[in-house]
Amino acid sequence: MRLTYMKPTMIIAVMLIASAGTANAETITVSKNGRFTSVRQAVTSSQRGDVVYVEAGVFIESNIVIRHPLELRGRKGAVIDGSNTPGTLITVKSDSVLISDLELRNVAISYVDDNAAIKIVNSKHCEVLRCRIFNGFFAIYLSNSQQCRIADNYLKADKGLESNSGNGIHCWTSKDVYVSGNIIDGHRDGIYFEFMNRGTVIGNTSRNNLRYGLHFMFSDSCTYSRNKFIQNGAGVAVMFTHYVQITDNTFSDNWGPTSYGLLLKEISDSHLRGNLFDGNTIAIHGEGAARILLEHNVFRNNGYALRILGNCFETTVRDNTFEGNTFDVTTNSVNSQNTFINNYWSSYSGYDLNKDGFGDVPFHPVRLYSLLVEQVPSSVILMHTPFVNILDLAERVLPTVTPETLVDSKPRMSAP
Amino acid sequence: MMRLLKYVLRDISRGRWVLLYFLFFFAITEGLLFFTAGEAKTIVGLMNVVFLLIPLASIMFGTLHLHNSRDFIELILTQPVRRSTVFFSLYLGVSLPFVCSFLLGVGIPALIHAAAFSPAIITLLLTGAALTFVFTSIAFYVGIVINDKAAGMGLAFILWLFFTVIYDGALLAITVMFQDYPMEQPTIAMVLLNPIDLARIAVMLTVDYAALMGYTGAVIQKFFGSGLGLMLSVTSLLLWIAIPFGIGLKSFNNKDW
């Protein structure tokens, strides 16, 4: 299935065309002792297509609303401090607005309004670049916007409680949003998409967030590539979405009783390739996942590498590497409607007589004990006992209970 | 007593077993820590070996030693020494060298790879030492009560099998049988009753394996993390040392050699 999404170059081209018409653009400067001493003043009195520069200094203000195409740029040391007064710092209500190189901080926490450092509403072709946002509640918030780019920002929040924290990059009902090179730290969800279409998320780092590093629902045809999701409270959870590409990401150190590397709930027709899952409680938890191709991923040192429930079907798991996981694959069903082939399993003990690189004995990755744990959770207390090891060995020699169809018929002898 | 203890210690230390024991633990710990960074998996791997071998070695060697030093014991008992003094000396003489060679065998490599000297390793060392005392106690009781050497060794082996394998099998059978009931508390109680299970859970909690165990893990962590849980586990281990030791001592005192 080929996925269509807006390429970054296309967005930039669109932006250039949009700003080409403003030949008589003026440059306005906001500084502590100039004509404009407040950003709001400068923005209000600017014209279509002007460039507003914010000089170094801390400007204590909020509720700045941009209503026409504009560039709002910060010089080195330019800070807009909301000092926790109610409201959003900068609201964009116009197409073709660029905000860059600003430091924004201290957005008021609200239990009623989604206050944000930068909020883009009903707009197209907007960009937020190289901003540093500290304690932004919702740092960057997009709603009903299209063809926007959010790149190279640094978003940091002091970890609070889930109830009084906002998301790092929050988008809903939007299309063609390009999110790249951002670092998101200490928010509720690092990146949150709801009803997003054709979003592209590349090269971001989302870490230490209270809940999820990445969380999306009803967001079809999105691409997630080369991102790092590290030490998030509950890992990454994605739900109710079709046509997703997740490639070359790192999911690591999401460890805890309620933590997942990647939770796939009702995800279908998607492609996961080249991802690294390292040190997660559960690397991938599949629930109602269908027609997913999992290939060339590396699962290393996880508690459970792949937990694939009985309601997952037509999922193909091939050419992956499973190394040093406590449980490689677990399931709660004796019937498997998924295909496992050509994976490398570090716990595989078969042989390869014809030296073609593939083992001659099929590998059953589901251990009897893991099946038992799924059915009788309190038997988990026997983990790592000799008795359980004997039980597994017996089952491996003569499989009777473990899913007959969940088998890698051609396991690799070494990692692909 | 000190002089007697010194004789027993010298006798044990002269044997090759203690040295072999030390070398084995040293090699396996060094090997594991050399190739990995001492993460949770390494500790758990080490734990599997330690908790299999310590009870086996302690119970087999303890029984064997009591049978082999029968002549020595009979000779000593003709001297004007208290029987309990003889028993104490024998017990410490056997258990201390094994505890020391285990502590050094695991401790030295852990010290070399300073990063691995973690709470998990410390827990492993403490529980391993406790298990040595527990199974030497049991061994001494077996050695005194059963006069025939082969029968004694057989019983020792069966007891080891019981604690490492059969007990867990029974535990599993019970949890499966009563799976419709909340089994967390009963399983914790059963774990408290088996010193090996208790030691295993203690080590696994220090490497944060509770996260892997879902709801049961949370219950276990809550229990063993509490003051009551800690007290009960320590008490259980101490009782496992004291009760067989006490019965053994009594049989020793009353035995007609």
Side-chain angles (χ1 to χ4, degrees):
Chain A
M1 193 136 323
R2 179 159 156 66
L3 304 181
T4 52
Y5 59 86
M6 199 94 173
K7 295 227 167 59
T9 43
M10 278 170 75
I11 298 177
I12 294 164
V14 168
M15 302 243 157
L16 285 174
I17 294 161
S19 56
T22 56
N24 51 355
E26 255 187 84
T27 301
I28 300 171
T29 304
V30 183
S31 65
K32 279 290 173 193
N33 41 19
R35 191 178 141 217
F36 292 106
T37 54
S38 104
V39 181
R40 182 155 32 150
Q41 236 178 5
V43 166
T44 320
S45 53
S46 67
Q47 300 292 314
R48 266 182 88 86
D50 285 353
V51 181
V52 176
Y53 273 104
V54 183
E55 293 289 337
V58 179
F59 297 86
I60 298 191
E61 55 187 308
S62 59
N63 297 310
I64 301 160
V65 183
I66 301 176
R67 297 181 193 278
H68 48 251
L70 188 73
E71 285 182 29
L72 179 60
R73 293 175 177 275
R75 302 272 195 208
K76 198 170 161 52
V79 178
I80 300 178
D81 189 334
S83 70
N84 299 312
T85 45
T88 286
L89 258 53
I90 302 173
T91 309
V92 176
K93 290 187 172 172
S94 154
D95 295 348
S96 310
V97 172
L98 179 145
I99 300 174
S100 78
D101 303 289
L102 278 169
E103 181 173 326
L104 307 170
R105 58 193 192 202
N106 300 328
V107 177
I109 291 167
S110 166
Y111 297 98
V112 183
D113 302 312
D114 294 341
N115 290 340
I118 298 172
K119 195 177 224 174
I120 300 172
V121 188
N122 303 332
S123 303
K124 288 178 182 166
H125 317 306
C126 290
E127 285 185 282
V128 179
L129 310 175
R130 299 179 299 276
C131 287
R132 295 162 60 79
I133 302 179
F134 297 97
N135 289 327
F137 192 43
F138 284 83
I140 300 172
Y141 187 110
L142 269 73
S143 102
N144 196 23
S145 294
Q146 293 170 29
Q147 288 102 35
C148 289
R149 184 160 89 110
I150 299 163
D152 306 317
N153 302 288
Y154 178 76
L155 317 176
K156 169 97 176 97
D158 295 334
K159 276 180 148 176
L161 299 169
E162 265 187 37
S163 57
N164 62 16
S165 303
N167 301 326
I169 297 174
H170 179 108
C171 307
W172 72 288
T173 329
S174 295
K175 269 184 199 160
D176 302 311
V177 174
Y178 186 83
V179 178
S180 80
N182 302 288
I183 296 173
I184 308 150
D185 192 326
H187 289 78
R188 183 174 62 195
D189 291 349
I191 300 172
Y192 177 100
F193 284 177
E194 193 170 354
F195 302 108
M196 159 77 86
N197 244 306
R198 299 187 299 271
T200 306
V201 179
I202 289 184
N204 302 282
T205 301
S206 183
R207 63 188 180 213
N208 300 322
N209 295 296
L210 292 166
R211 200 170 61 176
Y212 302 117
L214 166 71
H215 187 37
F216 64 75
M217 289 158 287
F218 314 107
S219 297
D220 295 348
S221 311
C222 291
T223 301
Y224 305 86
S225 204
R226 300 194 303 278
N227 303 289
K228 290 188 168 69
F229 302 103
I230 302 168
Q231 285 185 345
N232 295 297
V236 169
V238 300
M239 308 168 185
F240 310 108
T241 297
H242 313 289
Y243 322 126
V244 186
Q245 291 225 35
I246 301 180
T247 56
D248 303 311
N249 301 285
T250 301
F251 301 82
S252 75
D253 304 303
N254 300 296
W255 190 268
T258 56
S259 201
Y260 301 94
L262 178 59
L263 176 112
L264 302 170
K265 179 161 176 63
E266 309 291 333
I267 300 286
S268 63
D269 303 296
S270 295
H271 189 184
L272 275 89
R273 186 189 163 96
N275 301 290
L276 169 67
F277 296 87
D278 192 346
N280 306 290
T281 325
I282 300 175
I284 294 187
H285 176 101
E287 201 177 317
R291 297 182 299 279
I292 292 180
L293 174 59
L294 264 160
E295 57 175 359
H296 293 284
N297 301 290
V298 175
F299 298 85
R300 195 175 286 152
N301 301 329
N302 301 290
Y304 298 79
L306 206 52
R307 190 164 182 217
I308 190 158
L309 300 190
N311 55 358
C312 298
F313 57 92
E314 288 178 37
T315 285
T316 303
V317 180
R318 70 175 188 216
D319 300 312
N320 300 288
T321 301
F322 292 84
E323 256 174 350
N325 305 296
T326 305
F327 296 115
D328 285 329
V329 178
T330 67
T331 180
N332 59 349
S333 157
V334 286
N335 296 311
S336 163
Q337 303 166 61
N338 307 298
T339 312
F340 288 77
I341 190 106
N342 295 1
N343 298 288
Y344 168 69
W345 312 88
S346 64
S347 48
Y348 179 60
S349 54
Y351 45 82
D352 177 20
L353 283 184
N354 56 359
K355 301 281 174 215
D356 63 350
F358 295 97
D360 301 342
V361 188
F363 180 67
H364 293 264
V366 179
R367 291 168 53 186
L368 172 63
Y369 179 55
S370 63
L371 204 67
L372 199 68
V373 167
E374 289 289 337
Q375 281 159 13
V376 189
S378 54
S379 66
V380 80
I381 201 155
L382 293 170
M383 192 184 278
H384 292 298
T385 54
F387 179 76
V388 160
N389 293 341
I390 294 168
L391 211 65
D392 278 338
L393 188 71
E395 176 70 14
R396 197 151 279 181
V397 174
L398 215 83
T400 48
V401 189
T402 47
E404 193 116 339
T405 45
L406 206 164
V407 58
D408 190 334
S409 53
K410 219 178 159 198
R412 284 175 187 273
M413 295 305 286
S414 59
Chain B
M1 178 175 163
M2 284 320 284
R3 188 188 287 174
L4 203 52
L5 178 59
K6 220 157 68 187
Y7 283 133
V8 183
L9 277 177
R10 198 181 294 162
D11 181 34
I12 297 279
S13 316
R14 242 195 321 238
R16 262 164 294 158
W17 286 111
V18 172
L19 185 68
L20 261 177
Y21 197 67
F22 164 76
L23 285 178
F24 177 80
F25 280 121
F26 186 87
I28 203 136
T29 314
E30 176 65 26
L32 277 172
L33 291 179
F34 188 79
F35 291 110
T36 62
E39 63 252 20
K41 256 198 117 53
T42 321
I43 310 279
V44 170
L46 189 61
M47 176 193 85
N48 277 331
V49 178
V50 165
F51 290 166
L52 203 65
L53 193 73
I54 284 189
L56 181 65
S58 305
I59 201 166
M60 297 306 271
F61 189 83
T63 316
L64 185 72
H65 184 75
L66 213 65
H67 282 292
N68 284 352
S69 22
R70 249 189 139 73
D71 299 341
F72 172 72
I73 294 170
E74 281 170 24
L75 176 73
I76 287 293
L77 288 181
T78 59
Q79 308 296 315
V81 278
R82 289 168 60 93
R83 280 194 168 199
S84 53
T85 311
V86 177
F87 190 75
F88 262 105
S89 313
L90 276 172
Y91 180 76
L92 289 180
V94 172
S95 54
L96 281 182
F98 277 90
V99 167
C100 289
S101 55
F102 161 68
L103 290 181
L104 292 176
V106 175
I108 291 174
L111 266 180
I112 296 171
H113 305 269
F117 209 73
S118 56
I121 289 272
I122 294 169
T123 316
L124 187 70
L125 290 175
L126 286 177
T127 47
L131 284 182
T132 313
F133 286 119
V134 170
F135 282 90
T136 313
S137 291
I138 298 172
F140 270 45
Y141 176 63
V142 172
I144 291 159
V145 173
I146 296 184
N147 283 320
D148 181 45
K149 189 169 161 182
M153 298 296 285
L155 181 63
F157 184 75
I158 287 170
L159 279 174
W160 170 78
L161 206 63
F162 174 78
F163 283 111
T164 35
V165 181
I166 299 170
Y167 188 91
D168 291 337
L171 209 166
L172 184 65
I174 291 171
T175 48
V176 171
M177 235 184 283
F178 295 99
Q179 55 175 297
D180 297 337
Y181 300 89
M183 283 303 286
E184 278 70 28
Q185 260 109 23
T187 44
I188 286 180
M190 283 188 279
V191 162
L192 275 175
L193 291 179
N194 182 345
I196 302 179
D197 278 343
L198 193 57
R200 182 174 51 82
I201 295 288
V203 173
M204 276 167 64
L205 284 183
T206 55
V207 292
D208 202 12
Y209 257 53
L212 268 189
M213 302 163 115
Y215 172 71
T216 312
V219 175
I220 296 171
Q221 189 153 43
K222 198 170 158 213
F223 176 77
F224 287 102
S226 67
L228 177 76
L230 197 69
M231 207 184 70
L232 277 177
S233 350
V234 172
T235 314
S236 164
L237 275 179
L238 289 180
L239 284 180
W240 266 112
I241 300 172
I243 292 174
F245 184 84
I247 310 173
L249 180 62
K250 205 163 164 236
S251 322
F252 188 79
N253 282 340
N254 298 335
K255 190 174 168 80
D256 186 11
W257 294 84

